[in-house]
Amino acid sequence: MTDRIVVLGAGYAGLGAAKRAARRLQGADAQVTLVNASDRFVERVRLHQLAAGQRLPDLPLLDLLDGTGVELVVARVTGLDLDARAVRLDAAPYSLSYDVLIYALGSDADRDGVPGIREHAFTLASAGEAARLRSRLAETGSIVVVGGGLTGIEAATEFAATHPRLGVELVSGGTIGGWLSPRARRHLHRAFGRLGVAVRERATVAKIGPDGLLLDDGHELPAETVVWTAGFRVPGLAAASGLATDEHGRMRVDGALRSVSHPEVFGIGDAAAARTAGGQSRMSCQTGLPMGLQAGDAVADLLAGREPRRARIRYVWQNISLGRHDGVTQFTRADDSPLGAVLTGRASATFKEAITRGTVWRMRHPGPYGPGA
């Protein structure tokens, strides 16, 4: 009887898991099916580049799956029946049965963080949204990016470097780059000054309107265009289906990335709350791809009658691009805390580009995972 492995989501985690499982199960009576809403692989870490007007590589999933035996189904997941072990879809074949499920549906922008996001702000959570923002940037004179995390920093600096005529401001409720070492923070803020990015820290947004922001201290901040990067959330499907989740809706998994409530389901990537040396995994492709590869191995072990190995999730660095020719790379301990070692400038930009391209290479060739996977 054929073992049916269904993988939901073809981001860094899901695609890595599907290909690794298929490779490990070659010769076995097993079928791996990958379900994704689009027929393209999206390099999410490059969406700020797409929004800035740059052309990104076209990565059809069929090309990335060529020769693997993985079946691709292009459809949106509308529901899970955990008792029947079935996935409901909005397109043919409309339903898929599974023996093992890998849940990798990722995350999306939090559009309900404050009033007005849905009506008046742009986000960078998908290729379609980034393309829509690209069209907007061609006709706007000022832009406010809300959110002092990696996405906000990279977006603000990319926009300023690509469109020098734009007035760009970065607004954060906390200290921008506060998790970095002092040297990395200094370089970051020097880049803001060089690019003309105005920075407003410890400013909490209360509301977004058609003409800008209202801060919680009552100050109004005019802006023709607002980009919201201040929060991401996972789909509610896992919790609604009865999978055990944490307070943020992320699937609770054990050391082998199996659901603590349904051991035939694996949770990986942004949608899963996995344990790391520092506590809990953060949303990042740096953890998504290794989680996917290790989940693929775990599924193969499970179907072979072996106990899945404990996943090893650790951090090595944080790469932050500051336009195409500058950046800061903060090297970290395994628990994600910063080391004193920092790479800056063009060397950092070159390093990040090599890592980003290398990640796509790993999508094509999902061999053994390593420290930088």
Side-chain angles (χ1 to χ4, degrees):
M1 183 175 179
T2 301
D3 290 312
R4 299 160 299 178
I5 302 96
V6 175
V7 183
L8 306 182
Y12 297 98
L15 182 57
K19 296 191 69 171
R20 174 60 72 83
R23 187 171 72 85
R24 285 285 311 276
L25 291 167
Q26 274 185 334
D29 190 7
Q31 174 61 54
V32 179
T33 301
L34 178 62
V35 180
N36 198 57
S38 166
D39 65 351
R40 259 52 183 174
F41 174 71
V42 176
E43 290 185 273
R44 194 165 179 179
V45 296
R46 290 194 188 272
L47 289 181
H48 59 288
Q49 295 175 238
L50 177 61
Q54 297 160 33
R55 185 183 298 273
L56 300 186
D58 183 35
L59 299 170
L61 284 170
L62 284 176
D63 288 356
L64 295 174
L65 295 172
D66 186 41
T68 66
V70 175
E71 176 189 14
L72 176 64
V73 172
V74 179
R76 293 185 182 277
V77 180
T78 60
L80 299 178
D81 186 334
L82 298 174
D83 293 331
R85 297 195 181 187
V87 179
R88 294 191 295 273
L89 308 173
D90 71 346
Y94 297 104
S95 181
L96 286 170
S97 297
Y98 63 84
D99 297 295
V100 179
L101 180 70
I102 302 179
Y103 186 99
L105 288 179
S107 62
D108 196 3
D110 182 1
R111 296 175 179 82
D112 299 310
V114 301
I117 296 174
R118 291 183 180 275
E119 298 83 0
H120 305 297
F122 293 80
T123 68
L124 284 170
S126 71
E129 292 167 313
R132 181 169 152 260
L133 177 55
R134 178 184 59 198
S135 299
R136 174 68 175 176
L137 291 185
E139 57 189 33
T140 193
S142 66
I143 185 168
V144 173
V145 179
V146 183
L150 298 181
T151 303
I153 292 169
E154 293 193 325
T157 52
E158 196 75 50
F159 299 157
T162 307
H163 303 282
R165 62 175 181 80
L166 268 181
V168 180
E169 185 162 1
L170 179 60
V171 175
S172 174
T175 301
I176 297 172
W179 66 92
L180 300 171
S181 65
R183 182 185 169 196
R185 286 199 302 273
R186 286 194 297 271
H187 184 83
L188 184 66
H189 284 272
R190 281 197 296 268
F192 291 149
R194 174 177 55 80
L195 293 168
V197 176
V199 172
R200 189 182 297 261
E201 298 179 312
R202 292 173 290 280
T204 303
V205 176
K207 182 179 181 180
I208 299 176
D211 302 313
L213 312 176
L214 174 66
L215 304 181
D216 66 351
D217 62 3
H219 183 81
E220 294 184 359
L221 187 59
E224 292 181 20
T225 302
V226 176
V227 179
W228 184 263
T229 70
F232 291 86
R233 67 180 184 183
V234 300
L237 180 64
S241 302
L243 289 163
T245 57
D246 67 8
E247 66 274 19
H248 304 295
R250 301 175 77 190
M251 189 191 304
R252 293 175 53 219
V253 296
D254 65 13
L257 304 177
R258 300 169 76 177
S259 165
V260 298
S261 61
H262 294 77
E264 73 280 1
V265 180
F266 287 76
I268 56 176
D270 289 358
R275 299 295 298 175
T276 69
Q280 193 177 92
S281 58
R282 62 176 166 85
M283 295 182 181
S284 163
C285 74
Q286 186 179 157
T287 54
L289 178 54
M291 287 171 77
L293 300 180
Q294 293 180 76
D297 283 333
V299 168
D301 288 340
L302 181 67
L303 295 178
R306 297 186 294 269
E307 184 66 22
R309 290 172 292 174
R310 186 176 184 85
R312 189 183 185 196
I313 303 168
R314 56 180 178 163
Y315 298 93
V316 182
W317 53 63
Q318 289 186 24
N319 276 320
I320 307 173
S321 65
L322 305 170
R324 291 301 83 210
H325 305 296
D326 190 9
V328 58
T329 300
Q330 173 68 69
F331 292 92
T332 69
R333 299 177 181 87
D335 65 0
D336 211 23
S337 60
L339 293 167
V342 174
L343 191 65
T344 61
R346 189 176 291 272
S348 172
T350 301
F351 179 66
K352 182 179 181 185
E353 181 62 24
I355 293 298
T356 303
R357 292 187 182 188
T359 300
V360 174
W361 187 89
R362 292 297 300 275
M363 293 288 97
R364 298 184 185 276
H365 310 281
Y369 54 84

PDB file of all heavy atoms in Angstrom, residues 281-312:
ATOM      1  N   SER A 281      11.753  29.040  18.063  1.00  0.00           N
ATOM      2  CA  SER A 281      12.197  29.473  16.744  1.00  0.00           C
ATOM      3  C   SER A 281      11.500  30.759  16.332  1.00  0.00           C
ATOM      4  O   SER A 281      10.331  30.976  16.625  1.00  0.00           O
ATOM      5  CB  SER A 281      11.914  28.384  15.704  1.00  0.00           C
ATOM      6  OG  SER A 281      10.524  28.065  15.674  1.00  0.00           O
ATOM      7  N   ARG A 282      12.249  31.644  15.676  1.00  0.00           N
ATOM      8  CA  ARG A 282      11.641  32.858  15.138  1.00  0.00           C
ATOM      9  C   ARG A 282      11.341  32.641  13.661  1.00  0.00           C
ATOM     10  O   ARG A 282      11.887  31.740  13.012  1.00  0.00           O
ATOM     11  CB  ARG A 282      12.552  34.075  15.334  1.00  0.00           C
ATOM     12  CG  ARG A 282      13.901  34.019  14.639  1.00  0.00           C
ATOM     13  CD  ARG A 282      14.657  35.322  14.825  1.00  0.00           C
ATOM     14  NE  ARG A 282      16.058  35.202  14.458  1.00  0.00           N
ATOM     15  CZ  ARG A 282      16.528  35.341  13.224  1.00  0.00           C
ATOM     16  NH1 ARG A 282      15.692  35.567  12.212  1.00  0.00           N
ATOM     17  NH2 ARG A 282      17.821  35.235  12.981  1.00  0.00           N
ATOM     18  N   MET A 283      10.458  33.484  13.129  1.00  0.00           N
ATOM     19  CA  MET A 283      10.098  33.376  11.719  1.00  0.00           C
ATOM     20  C   MET A 283      11.286  33.804  10.870  1.00  0.00           C
ATOM     21  O   MET A 283      11.697  34.969  10.900  1.00  0.00           O
ATOM     22  CB  MET A 283       8.873  34.250  11.438  1.00  0.00           C
ATOM     23  CG  MET A 283       7.623  33.790  12.158  1.00  0.00           C
ATOM     24  SD  MET A 283       6.178  34.812  11.760  1.00  0.00           S
ATOM     25  CE  MET A 283       4.921  34.036  12.779  1.00  0.00           C
ATOM     26  N   SER A 284      11.832  32.876  10.105  1.00  0.00           N
ATOM     27  CA  SER A 284      13.052  33.157   9.351  1.00  0.00           C
ATOM     28  C   SER A 284      13.313  32.027   8.376  1.00  0.00           C
ATOM     29  O   SER A 284      13.103  30.855   8.700  1.00  0.00           O
ATOM     30  CB  SER A 284      14.244  33.291  10.317  1.00  0.00           C
ATOM     31  OG  SER A 284      15.473  33.189   9.654  1.00  0.00           O
ATOM     32  N   CYS A 285      13.792  32.373   7.174  1.00  0.00           N
ATOM     33  CA  CYS A 285      14.166  31.308   6.237  1.00  0.00           C
ATOM     34  C   CYS A 285      15.411  30.593   6.738  1.00  0.00           C
ATOM     35  O   CYS A 285      15.685  29.455   6.352  1.00  0.00           O
ATOM     36  CB  CYS A 285      14.384  31.867   4.835  1.00  0.00           C
ATOM     37  SG  CYS A 285      15.900  32.806   4.619  1.00  0.00           S
ATOM     38  N   GLN A 286      16.177  31.248   7.642  1.00  0.00           N
ATOM     39  CA  GLN A 286      17.367  30.613   8.200  1.00  0.00           C
ATOM     40  C   GLN A 286      16.999  29.371   9.008  1.00  0.00           C
ATOM     41  O   GLN A 286      17.769  28.424   9.082  1.00  0.00           O
ATOM     42  CB  GLN A 286      18.136  31.606   9.089  1.00  0.00           C
ATOM     43  CG  GLN A 286      19.458  31.065   9.591  1.00  0.00           C
ATOM     44  CD  GLN A 286      20.223  32.054  10.453  1.00  0.00           C
ATOM     45  OE1 GLN A 286      21.057  31.650  11.256  1.00  0.00           O
ATOM     46  NE2 GLN A 286      19.960  33.324  10.298  1.00  0.00           N
ATOM     47  N   THR A 287      15.805  29.385   9.612  1.00  0.00           N
ATOM     48  CA  THR A 287      15.335  28.188  10.305  1.00  0.00           C
ATOM     49  C   THR A 287      14.376  27.385   9.440  1.00  0.00           C
ATOM     50  O   THR A 287      14.264  26.171   9.593  1.00  0.00           O
ATOM     51  CB  THR A 287      14.634  28.561  11.625  1.00  0.00           C
ATOM     52  OG1 THR A 287      13.603  29.519  11.363  1.00  0.00           O
ATOM     53  CG2 THR A 287      15.624  29.127  12.615  1.00  0.00           C
ATOM     54  N   GLY A 288      13.667  28.044   8.516  1.00  0.00           N
ATOM     55  CA  GLY A 288      12.667  27.355   7.707  1.00  0.00           C
ATOM     56  C   GLY A 288      13.248  26.237   6.869  1.00  0.00           C
ATOM     57  O   GLY A 288      12.724  25.110   6.862  1.00  0.00           O
ATOM     58  N   LEU A 289      14.321  26.520   6.135  1.00  0.00           N
ATOM     59  CA  LEU A 289      14.898  25.491   5.264  1.00  0.00           C
ATOM     60  C   LEU A 289      15.479  24.326   6.064  1.00  0.00           C
ATOM     61  O   LEU A 289      15.161  23.160   5.762  1.00  0.00           O
ATOM     62  CB  LEU A 289      15.946  26.094   4.336  1.00  0.00           C
ATOM     63  CG  LEU A 289      16.669  25.106   3.406  1.00  0.00           C
ATOM     64  CD1 LEU A 289      15.684  24.297   2.582  1.00  0.00           C
ATOM     65  CD2 LEU A 289      17.653  25.849   2.499  1.00  0.00           C
ATOM     66  N   PRO A 290      16.293  24.554   7.102  1.00  0.00           N
ATOM     67  CA  PRO A 290      16.762  23.408   7.885  1.00  0.00           C
ATOM     68  C   PRO A 290      15.632  22.602   8.511  1.00  0.00           C
ATOM     69  O   PRO A 290      15.696  21.374   8.564  1.00  0.00           O
ATOM     70  CB  PRO A 290      17.641  24.058   8.963  1.00  0.00           C
ATOM     71  CG  PRO A 290      18.106  25.330   8.352  1.00  0.00           C
ATOM     72  CD  PRO A 290      16.950  25.809   7.519  1.00  0.00           C
ATOM     73  N   MET A 291      14.578  23.291   8.988  1.00  0.00           N
ATOM     74  CA  MET A 291      13.434  22.563   9.539  1.00  0.00           C
ATOM     75  C   MET A 291      12.803  21.682   8.467  1.00  0.00           C
ATOM     76  O   MET A 291      12.418  20.527   8.727  1.00  0.00           O
ATOM     77  CB  MET A 291      12.400  23.536  10.099  1.00  0.00           C
ATOM     78  CG  MET A 291      12.807  24.207  11.397  1.00  0.00           C
ATOM     79  SD  MET A 291      11.658  25.521  11.866  1.00  0.00           S
ATOM     80  CE  MET A 291      10.281  24.565  12.511  1.00  0.00           C
ATOM     81  N   GLY A 292      12.689  22.204   7.238  1.00  0.00           N
ATOM     82  CA  GLY A 292      12.112  21.425   6.153  1.00  0.00           C
ATOM     83  C   GLY A 292      12.931  20.194   5.834  1.00  0.00           C
ATOM     84  O   GLY A 292      12.393  19.083   5.688  1.00  0.00           O
ATOM     85  N   LEU A 293      14.248  20.367   5.733  1.00  0.00           N
ATOM     86  CA  LEU A 293      15.112  19.228   5.420  1.00  0.00           C
ATOM     87  C   LEU A 293      15.059  18.176   6.522  1.00  0.00           C
ATOM     88  O   LEU A 293      14.998  16.968   6.253  1.00  0.00           O
ATOM     89  CB  LEU A 293      16.548  19.716   5.212  1.00  0.00           C
ATOM     90  CG  LEU A 293      16.761  20.721   4.074  1.00  0.00           C
ATOM     91  CD1 LEU A 293      18.233  21.116   3.985  1.00  0.00           C
ATOM     92  CD2 LEU A 293      16.286  20.158   2.742  1.00  0.00           C
ATOM     93  N   GLN A 294      15.054  18.638   7.765  1.00  0.00           N
ATOM     94  CA  GLN A 294      15.019  17.680   8.876  1.00  0.00           C
ATOM     95  C   GLN A 294      13.649  16.994   8.973  1.00  0.00           C
ATOM     96  O   GLN A 294      13.568  15.818   9.333  1.00  0.00           O
ATOM     97  CB  GLN A 294      15.373  18.402  10.176  1.00  0.00           C
ATOM     98  CG  GLN A 294      16.839  18.863  10.172  1.00  0.00           C
ATOM     99  CD  GLN A 294      17.233  19.588  11.438  1.00  0.00           C
ATOM    100  OE1 GLN A 294      17.437  18.960  12.470  1.00  0.00           O
ATOM    101  NE2 GLN A 294      17.343  20.906  11.370  1.00  0.00           N
ATOM    102  N   ALA A 295      12.581  17.714   8.634  1.00  0.00           N
ATOM    103  CA  ALA A 295      11.258  17.082   8.611  1.00  0.00           C
ATOM    104  C   ALA A 295      11.185  16.025   7.517  1.00  0.00           C
ATOM    105  O   ALA A 295      10.581  14.951   7.696  1.00  0.00           O
ATOM    106  CB  ALA A 295      10.172  18.131   8.403  1.00  0.00           C
ATOM    107  N   GLY A 296      11.787  16.306   6.357  1.00  0.00           N
ATOM    108  CA  GLY A 296      11.819  15.305   5.289  1.00  0.00           C
ATOM    109  C   GLY A 296      12.526  14.029   5.730  1.00  0.00           C
ATOM    110  O   GLY A 296      12.072  12.906   5.442  1.00  0.00           O
ATOM    111  N   ASP A 297      13.636  14.198   6.461  1.00  0.00           N
ATOM    112  CA  ASP A 297      14.336  13.039   7.005  1.00  0.00           C
ATOM    113  C   ASP A 297      13.476  12.309   8.028  1.00  0.00           C
ATOM    114  O   ASP A 297      13.425  11.074   8.066  1.00  0.00           O
ATOM    115  CB  ASP A 297      15.643  13.479   7.675  1.00  0.00           C
ATOM    116  CG  ASP A 297      16.736  13.780   6.677  1.00  0.00           C
ATOM    117  OD1 ASP A 297      16.711  13.201   5.571  1.00  0.00           O
ATOM    118  OD2 ASP A 297      17.618  14.594   6.988  1.00  0.00           O
ATOM    119  N   ALA A 298      12.785  13.088   8.880  1.00  0.00           N
ATOM    120  CA  ALA A 298      11.971  12.484   9.938  1.00  0.00           C
ATOM    121  C   ALA A 298      10.831  11.656   9.355  1.00  0.00           C
ATOM    122  O   ALA A 298      10.509  10.571   9.867  1.00  0.00           O
ATOM    123  CB  ALA A 298      11.426  13.573  10.859  1.00  0.00           C
ATOM    124  N   VAL A 299      10.210  12.157   8.292  1.00  0.00           N
ATOM    125  CA  VAL A 299       9.124  11.411   7.645  1.00  0.00           C
ATOM    126  C   VAL A 299       9.650  10.095   7.073  1.00  0.00           C
ATOM    127  O   VAL A 299       9.022   9.035   7.224  1.00  0.00           O
ATOM    128  CB  VAL A 299       8.466  12.265   6.542  1.00  0.00           C
ATOM    129  CG1 VAL A 299       7.543  11.409   5.681  1.00  0.00           C
ATOM    130  CG2 VAL A 299       7.691  13.416   7.161  1.00  0.00           C
ATOM    131  N   ALA A 300      10.811  10.159   6.428  1.00  0.00           N
ATOM    132  CA  ALA A 300      11.394   8.934   5.873  1.00  0.00           C
ATOM    133  C   ALA A 300      11.702   7.926   6.975  1.00  0.00           C
ATOM    134  O   ALA A 300      11.464   6.719   6.827  1.00  0.00           O
ATOM    135  CB  ALA A 300      12.659   9.274   5.085  1.00  0.00           C
ATOM    136  N   ASP A 301      12.227   8.409   8.098  1.00  0.00           N
ATOM    137  CA  ASP A 301      12.515   7.519   9.221  1.00  0.00           C
ATOM    138  C   ASP A 301      11.226   6.908   9.769  1.00  0.00           C
ATOM    139  O   ASP A 301      11.164   5.704  10.050  1.00  0.00           O
ATOM    140  CB  ASP A 301      13.230   8.288  10.336  1.00  0.00           C
ATOM    141  CG  ASP A 301      14.670   8.639   9.985  1.00  0.00           C
ATOM    142  OD1 ASP A 301      15.230   7.981   9.077  1.00  0.00           O
ATOM    143  OD2 ASP A 301      15.216   9.567  10.595  1.00  0.00           O
ATOM    144  N   LEU A 302      10.201   7.735   9.916  1.00  0.00           N
ATOM    145  CA  LEU A 302       8.929   7.265  10.460  1.00  0.00           C
ATOM    146  C   LEU A 302       8.338   6.156   9.601  1.00  0.00           C
ATOM    147  O   LEU A 302       7.898   5.118  10.109  1.00  0.00           O
ATOM    148  CB  LEU A 302       7.959   8.446  10.553  1.00  0.00           C
ATOM    149  CG  LEU A 302       6.572   8.161  11.126  1.00  0.00           C
ATOM    150  CD1 LEU A 302       6.670   7.807  12.605  1.00  0.00           C
ATOM    151  CD2 LEU A 302       5.661   9.374  10.933  1.00  0.00           C
ATOM    152  N   LEU A 303       8.343   6.360   8.286  1.00  0.00           N
ATOM    153  CA  LEU A 303       7.750   5.371   7.385  1.00  0.00           C
ATOM    154  C   LEU A 303       8.590   4.100   7.283  1.00  0.00           C
ATOM    155  O   LEU A 303       8.090   3.054   6.882  1.00  0.00           O
ATOM    156  CB  LEU A 303       7.545   5.985   6.002  1.00  0.00           C
ATOM    157  CG  LEU A 303       6.520   7.132   5.950  1.00  0.00           C
ATOM    158  CD1 LEU A 303       6.420   7.703   4.546  1.00  0.00           C
ATOM    159  CD2 LEU A 303       5.148   6.663   6.427  1.00  0.00           C
ATOM    160  N   ALA A 304       9.867   4.224   7.665  1.00  0.00           N
ATOM    161  CA  ALA A 304      10.738   3.045   7.671  1.00  0.00           C
ATOM    162  C   ALA A 304      10.700   2.320   9.013  1.00  0.00           C
ATOM    163  O   ALA A 304      11.432   1.341   9.217  1.00  0.00           O
ATOM    164  CB  ALA A 304      12.166   3.458   7.338  1.00  0.00           C
ATOM    165  N   GLY A 305       9.864   2.804   9.928  1.00  0.00           N
ATOM    166  CA  GLY A 305       9.740   2.162  11.226  1.00  0.00           C
ATOM    167  C   GLY A 305      10.767   2.596  12.239  1.00  0.00           C
ATOM    168  O   GLY A 305      10.902   1.973  13.306  1.00  0.00           O
ATOM    169  N   ARG A 306      11.508   3.673  11.943  1.00  0.00           N
ATOM    170  CA  ARG A 306      12.504   4.183  12.875  1.00  0.00           C
ATOM    171  C   ARG A 306      11.968   5.416  13.612  1.00  0.00           C
ATOM    172  O   ARG A 306      11.162   6.165  13.066  1.00  0.00           O
ATOM    173  CB  ARG A 306      13.797   4.568  12.141  1.00  0.00           C
ATOM    174  CG  ARG A 306      14.485   3.383  11.471  1.00  0.00           C
ATOM    175  CD  ARG A 306      15.821   3.816  10.888  1.00  0.00           C
ATOM    176  NE  ARG A 306      15.644   4.759   9.790  1.00  0.00           N
ATOM    177  CZ  ARG A 306      15.539   4.422   8.513  1.00  0.00           C
ATOM    178  NH1 ARG A 306      15.561   3.146   8.154  1.00  0.00           N
ATOM    179  NH2 ARG A 306      15.406   5.347   7.572  1.00  0.00           N
ATOM    180  N   GLU A 307      12.444   5.644  14.807  1.00  0.00           N
ATOM    181  CA  GLU A 307      12.049   6.817  15.565  1.00  0.00           C
ATOM    182  C   GLU A 307      12.704   8.057  14.948  1.00  0.00           C
ATOM    183  O   GLU A 307      13.926   8.093  14.765  1.00  0.00           O
ATOM    184  CB  GLU A 307      12.481   6.691  17.027  1.00  0.00           C
ATOM    185  CG  GLU A 307      12.024   7.831  17.926  1.00  0.00           C
ATOM    186  CD  GLU A 307      10.519   7.883  18.092  1.00  0.00           C
ATOM    187  OE1 GLU A 307       9.850   6.841  17.887  1.00  0.00           O
ATOM    188  OE2 GLU A 307      10.008   8.969  18.440  1.00  0.00           O
ATOM    189  N   PRO A 308      11.920   9.078  14.580  1.00  0.00           N
ATOM    190  CA  PRO A 308      12.510  10.285  13.987  1.00  0.00           C
ATOM    191  C   PRO A 308      13.514  10.940  14.946  1.00  0.00           C
ATOM    192  O   PRO A 308      13.289  10.992  16.156  1.00  0.00           O
ATOM    193  CB  PRO A 308      11.294  11.197  13.758  1.00  0.00           C
ATOM    194  CG  PRO A 308      10.135  10.259  13.667  1.00  0.00           C
ATOM    195  CD  PRO A 308      10.449   9.144  14.612  1.00  0.00           C
ATOM    196  N   ARG A 309      14.600  11.424  14.372  1.00  0.00           N
ATOM    197  CA  ARG A 309      15.620  12.083  15.189  1.00  0.00           C
ATOM    198  C   ARG A 309      15.160  13.460  15.655  1.00  0.00           C
ATOM    199  O   ARG A 309      14.358  14.114  15.003  1.00  0.00           O
ATOM    200  CB  ARG A 309      16.913  12.222  14.390  1.00  0.00           C
ATOM    201  CG  ARG A 309      17.632  10.907  14.134  1.00  0.00           C
ATOM    202  CD  ARG A 309      18.789  11.103  13.186  1.00  0.00           C
ATOM    203  NE  ARG A 309      18.318  11.447  11.841  1.00  0.00           N
ATOM    204  CZ  ARG A 309      19.118  11.782  10.832  1.00  0.00           C
ATOM    205  NH1 ARG A 309      20.419  11.859  11.027  1.00  0.00           N
ATOM    206  NH2 ARG A 309      18.616  12.062   9.645  1.00  0.00           N
ATOM    207  N   ARG A 310      15.714  13.900  16.741  1.00  0.00           N
ATOM    208  CA  ARG A 310      15.423  15.223  17.265  1.00  0.00           C
ATOM    209  C   ARG A 310      15.984  16.282  16.313  1.00  0.00           C
ATOM    210  O   ARG A 310      17.130  16.174  15.855  1.00  0.00           O
ATOM    211  CB  ARG A 310      16.026  15.404  18.648  1.00  0.00           C
ATOM    212  CG  ARG A 310      15.650  16.720  19.323  1.00  0.00           C
ATOM    213  CD  ARG A 310      16.222  16.788  20.739  1.00  0.00           C
ATOM    214  NE  ARG A 310      15.772  17.992  21.394  1.00  0.00           N
ATOM    215  CZ  ARG A 310      14.619  18.117  22.033  1.00  0.00           C
ATOM    216  NH1 ARG A 310      13.797  17.069  22.100  1.00  0.00           N
ATOM    217  NH2 ARG A 310      14.282  19.250  22.620  1.00  0.00           N
ATOM    218  N   ALA A 311      15.170  17.269  15.978  1.00  0.00           N
ATOM    219  CA  ALA A 311      15.622  18.327  15.070  1.00  0.00           C
ATOM    220  C   ALA A 311      16.651  19.224  15.757  1.00  0.00           C
ATOM    221  O   ALA A 311      16.562  19.470  16.972  1.00  0.00           O
ATOM    222  CB  ALA A 311      14.432  19.170  14.615  1.00  0.00           C
ATOM    223  N   ARG A 312      17.591  19.700  14.989  1.00  0.00           N
ATOM    224  CA  ARG A 312      18.625  20.602  15.504  1.00  0.00           C
ATOM    225  C   ARG A 312      18.433  21.959  14.835  1.00  0.00           C
ATOM    226  O   ARG A 312      18.693  22.104  13.644  1.00  0.00           O
ATOM    227  CB  ARG A 312      20.007  20.039  15.212  1.00  0.00           C
ATOM    228  CG  ARG A 312      21.130  20.794  15.896  1.00  0.00           C
ATOM    229  CD  ARG A 312      22.463  20.204  15.493  1.00  0.00           C
ATOM    230  NE  ARG A 312      23.567  20.817  16.214  1.00  0.00           N
ATOM    231  CZ  ARG A 312      24.844  20.719  15.848  1.00  0.00           C
ATOM    232  NH1 ARG A 312      25.161  20.030  14.762  1.00  0.00           N
ATOM    233  NH2 ARG A 312      25.793  21.304  16.544  1.00  0.00           N
TER     234      ARG A 312
END
